Amino acid sequence: MASWIFQGNPEIFDIDAYLNNHKIIWWAINQKQFVRKMNVGDEAYLWRSNSHKHSSGGIVGHGILIGRPEVFTSDEMRQYFFEKKRGEAKLRVQISMDSVQLEPPKISRDFLKSDPLLSKLQILRFANATNFELNKAQAQRLSELYFGMEGSLESTGESDVSEFPEGHAAYVLHRKRERSASLIQQAKTSAIKKFGSLYCQVCGFDFSLNYGRIGEGYIEAHHTIPVSELNENSVTRVQDIALVCSNCHRMLHRRRPWLSINELTTLLSQKRG
């Protein structure tokens, strides 16, 4: 999986309105050397440059590529360009946004300039391009900053310390692991790449299909390894994360020992007949 920064100029394109109105977006690919390297499942950070309206540029969103670059335009897209001729058909890539923060930017340009690693980003040195590829170290650091600053994503929301007879330390360890934002993002990215959408691994519930735009990109993450088998040195893998709806997540934690994904799926199938 590659990681990219895609830049937009708010003097040319109404980025704020576009991101507010669309969960699935198209973004220009002006650096043709990257076309063959962009694939479904790659992650993209959206960068809004400085403008008279926005004194601070920086990263305002994150999403996942759900297609490869292709020539695209639409009347709807053209309306966001302040000069309509700029909305002509050109090479673009489709992105499913899972996080947007416009004001202030999620991570400001000034903040990135102060980071020892990310201060060397190409976008800070050669700001005239549209598409920038991140190396592995930059991608990891940016993920830590972006999702760490996000706080706990929609990853749990159900467990209580009383569920852990192992004690408070076990509870803290469990919560820390289930709230690992970068790991959860990897699990979501993998699911989108493999299945094309996010749905509950137990009951099949899809938040997007049922709630529309507000539900797009939403799912909860369940740690499938019993907390009794974890220790501080355990390494959590993407395969250890199950993506489930809120109801199934509650039921998985309903009793001790916790139900497995297969056990809950079987119970649900039996109930449905």
Side-chain angles (χ1 to χ4, degrees):
M1 179 189 75
S3 298
W4 308 90
I5 290 179
F6 293 160
Q7 179 172 212
N9 185 345
E11 303 283 3
I12 296 172
F13 185 75
D14 193 346
I15 297 172
D16 290 18
Y18 188 53
L19 293 179
N20 277 327
N21 294 333
H22 298 274
K23 178 69 176 178
I24 307 297
I25 66 171
W26 291 85
W27 213 262
I29 307 301
N30 291 328
Q31 280 58 57
K32 303 300 190 295
Q33 69 269 27
F34 294 142
V35 171
R36 292 186 178 182
K37 301 179 72 173
M38 293 180 179
N39 291 292
V40 173
D42 287 359
E43 66 173 351
Y45 293 94
L46 270 291
W47 181 287
R48 186 184 63 205
S49 58
N50 290 353
S51 69
H52 71 280
K53 182 178 180 181
H54 305 287
S55 58
S56 177
I59 293 173
V60 296
H62 176 276
I64 303 297
L65 271 60
I66 57 174
R68 299 202 71 253
E70 61 181 276
V71 176
F72 175 83
T73 194
S74 67
D75 291 337
E76 185 176 24
M77 168 167 272
R78 274 192 287 268
Q79 72 177 323
Y80 294 100
F81 286 91
F82 298 120
E83 295 180 22
K84 302 307 178 193
K85 64 180 181 179
R86 290 183 177 271
E88 73 277 6
K90 65 182 304 181
L91 204 60
R92 294 185 168 93
V93 70
Q94 197 173 27
I95 306 168
S96 175
M97 299 299 296
D98 53 45
S99 176
V100 172
Q101 180 176 309
L102 298 170
E103 200 60 47
K106 181 69 177 179
I107 308 179
S108 72
R109 184 178 187 275
D110 290 339
F111 185 92
L112 291 171
K113 287 173 63 178
S114 69
D115 185 87
L117 177 61
L118 297 179
S119 60
K120 297 179 176 60
L121 286 171
Q122 289 293 302
I123 195 169
L124 295 174
R125 298 185 172 195
F126 308 100
N128 292 330
T130 302
N131 317 113
F132 303 84
E133 185 178 17
L134 300 174
N135 62 39
K136 289 184 178 180
Q138 292 169 338
Q140 178 62 35
R141 175 61 176 156
L142 195 53
S143 176
E144 291 171 355
L145 287 174
Y146 190 96
F147 293 106
M149 294 167 71
E150 187 83 23
S152 60
L153 299 179
E154 60 271 15
S155 55
T156 53
E158 83 304 325
S159 301
D160 185 81
V161 68
S162 61
E163 297 182 22
F164 291 81
E166 299 94 334
H168 183 75
Y171 169 74
V172 171
L173 176 61
H174 168 76
R175 297 293 278 183
K176 178 180 178 181
R177 291 178 183 279
E178 279 209 339
R179 289 176 182 269
S180 173
S182 61
L183 182 69
I184 293 165
Q185 187 56 47
Q186 290 177 48
K188 292 170 71 173
T189 297
S190 178
I192 291 174
K193 187 174 183 179
K194 186 174 182 179
F195 304 113
S197 63
L198 296 174
Y199 58 85
C200 178
Q201 291 179 221
V202 175
C203 70
F205 186 87
D206 186 317
F207 285 90
S208 176
L209 290 179
N210 285 274
Y211 294 109
R213 184 174 183 274
I214 194 174
E216 291 178 353
Y218 185 89
I219 199 74
E220 294 191 4
H222 169 69
H223 199 294
T224 59
I225 299 178
V227 70
S228 59
E229 297 178 14
L230 297 176
N231 58 59
E232 286 291 346
N233 297 318
S234 296
V235 176
T236 305
R237 306 165 301 165
V238 172
Q239 300 95 308
D240 301 328
I241 298 295
L243 301 178
V244 294
C245 71
S246 309
N247 285 343
C248 288
H249 204 176
R250 288 277 185 174
M251 294 301 101
L252 288 166
H253 286 266
R254 182 68 173 168
R255 76 179 192 193
R256 300 279 306 183
W258 296 335
L259 291 168
S260 69
I261 295 294
N262 288 338
E263 287 173 332
L264 187 61
T265 301
T266 298
L267 287 176
L268 185 61
S269 296
Q270 292 173 343
K271 184 65 178 178
R272 288 175 171 176

